[in-house]
Amino acid sequence: MSGDVKRLRVAGPGGEIAVSVQGPASAPAVLMAHSVLSSGMMWEAQATLLAAKGWRVIRADTRGHGESAAPAAPYAMHDLVADSIAVLDALKIARAHYVGLSLGGMSGLGLGIHHPKRLLSLCICDARADMPPAFAAPWDERIAIAQKQGCAALADATIERWFGKAFLDANPVIAQKFRAAASATSVEGFIGCARAIQGLAYLGAVSRITTPTTLIVGANDGPLPQAMQALQGLIKGAVIEVVPQAGHLPNIDQPTAFNAALMRHFYKNSQGSTP
């Protein structure tokens, strides 16, 4: 059944990686990766949609997040890329579609650059390919807070930055779900991933990506619409979809428009891997 979700643990370079798998076992695979201070739960609605349409969907908890192990920090982006390859290897998946948002989108660019033969398509959401000093600096303060007070101290500010106060006030169930996920993130995992974000340096290599690519970004996600417009110009054949009235997690705050963009990506790029 497409709605049945299996929880598995697979071996990764830094310890066990928790994954959720749903959809037909013989169908083309979709690997989904999430933002920092979240988990695979953020893709629940999209995973259910894709599985119902006939894809096999794998949601992996990033190291130090959700139920995955938290190896010693710091991490580099190539470590997160290696974790994705480990998931594909463990599940004996030769090639997969990849959907990643924020941190998951950053590591997805690394997959596209270094592991094109493992990919059927890329859908990169609300992510950039570099980390200029002005964008890297705030992570030092967040790391210091996590070290002193734990990740729960970052939860409220993080989800308000993602969604805005009005959305959170109007959607208390969603607010609590994301607040809980952020609070439950291990300090080691957050610090490791924050350092990986600070070291992000894929911009000079993204022109090497040959995998069919769609970029999706929330219109209200700060400087990211402009950054992703620039990425589109560097990745041959890339398509960009800007989701109106959406913030950093458009799959959550504007799911109808996001899901429509996501399905356009899959229907366009499913030749040879149609469910």
Side-chain angles (χ1 to χ4, degrees), residues 45-192:
Q46 287 73 36
T48 300
L49 171 64
L50 288 168
K53 297 291 186 181
W55 277 274
R56 182 188 185 196
V57 185
I58 299 99
R59 289 176 284 146
D61 287 346
T62 299
R63 57 170 65 191
H65 291 65
E67 297 179 11
S68 290
Y75 316 146
M77 203 59 68
H78 64 76
D79 294 318
L80 307 187
V81 172
D83 288 347
S84 292
I85 295 297
V87 170
L88 296 180
D89 287 347
L91 298 178
K92 296 180 170 54
I93 297 169
R95 300 178 73 201
H97 299 279
Y98 181 91
V99 181
L101 189 150
S102 192
L103 175 62
M106 297 173 193
S107 62
L109 293 171
L111 277 172
I113 293 164
H114 297 294
H115 299 279
K117 293 182 179 179
R118 303 303 300 270
L119 296 172
L120 293 167
S121 74
L122 277 171
C123 184
I124 305 297
C125 311
D126 295 82
R128 58 185 306 130
D130 63 341
M131 195 55 50
F135 294 98
W139 291 98
D140 287 329
E141 180 182 0
R142 295 166 193 164
I143 288 169
I145 292 171
Q147 287 172 326
K148 292 179 181 178
Q149 303 174 54
C151 288
L154 297 170
D156 285 339
T158 298
I159 66 170
E160 186 167 334
R161 191 164 58 247
W162 288 349
F163 297 115
K165 190 175 186 302
F167 178 88
L168 296 173
D169 289 345
N171 297 274
V173 174
I174 292 175
Q176 179 52 34
K177 182 182 290 189
F178 279 87
R179 187 178 293 112
S183 298
T185 302
S186 75
V187 171
E188 200 75 15
F190 170 72
I191 293 173

Side-chain angles (χ1 to χ4, degrees), residues 9 154 162 166 177 220 242 250 257 274:
R9 292 179 182 273
L154 297 170
W162 288 349
K177 182 182 290 189
N220 300 335
V242 180
T274 306

Side-chain angles (χ1 to χ4, degrees), residues 224-239:
L224 282 179
Q226 292 75 26
M228 296 194 79
Q229 290 278 3
L231 269 182
Q232 182 195 15
L234 296 173
I235 301 173
K236 186 176 180 180
V239 173

